[in-house]
Amino acid sequence: HVQLVESGGDSVQAGGSLRLSCAASGYTLNMLCMAWFRQVPGREREGVAGIATGGSATGYADSVKGRFTISQNNAKSTVYLQMNNLKPDDTAMYYCAAREWGGDLCRWLRAAFMHSWGQGTQVTVS
């Protein structure tokens, strides 16, 4: 069972940047594929960015391509989401998610594919 803890959420002005972190424990990143999702109250959870097991490939929602970058540090068992040129529409609770032995599946950004979730970190852009 993998535990995920997100951090880095904050309130920023439009055009600013934030970096979210997701620390994983219980599994090494070589056993997981990872993804970031976000959710606004009253709306479905939306996939933002995913990274394949081992960090070999990534995938992004069209709404964040060119602005967000997902990466991982295997030694720290941490996945990051660098968010640049933030817009008010990026305001949401951001969740880290993992799937054991997921291979490339996390790049599909489907919530139903994920096995474990963090508690979320709030990003507010004004």
Side-chain angles (χ1 to χ4, degrees):
H1 181 67
V2 57
Q3 287 84 41
L4 304 171
V5 178
E6 303 99 330
S7 61
D10 205 345
S11 296
V12 297
Q13 292 192 341
S17 298
L18 281 175
R19 188 177 79 159
L20 305 183
S21 299
C22 173
S25 60
Y27 282 76
T28 66
L29 293 187
N30 287 332
M31 303 175 182
L32 303 170
C33 70
M34 305 285 290
W36 286 95
F37 291 78
R38 64 187 181 187
Q39 190 168 25
V40 174
R43 297 178 63 178
E44 289 189 3
R45 195 164 291 190
E46 174 192 18
V48 174
I51 189 164
T53 302
S56 58
T58 58
Y60 297 92
D62 288 343
S63 58
V64 306
K65 280 181 182 176
R67 301 188 298 122
F68 290 12
T69 303
I70 188 171
S71 62
Q72 64 183 52
N73 183 320
N74 291 340
K76 295 184 177 181
S77 291
T78 300
V79 174
Y80 304 99
L81 184 67
Q82 178 66 43
M83 305 186 294
N84 297 329
N85 190 21
L86 283 161
K87 303 176 181 180
D89 283 349
D90 295 318
T91 295
M93 183 71 78
Y94 282 72
Y95 296 92
C96 176
R99 180 184 172 100
E100 293 88 357
W101 305 110
D104 206 40
L105 281 177
C106 291
R107 297 202 298 136
W108 287 87
L109 303 179
R110 304 281 176 85
F113 287 176
M114 312 310 292
H115 291 163
S116 303
W117 294 85
Q119 81 289 350
T121 187
Q122 179 67 37
V123 172
T124 302
V125 185
S126 58

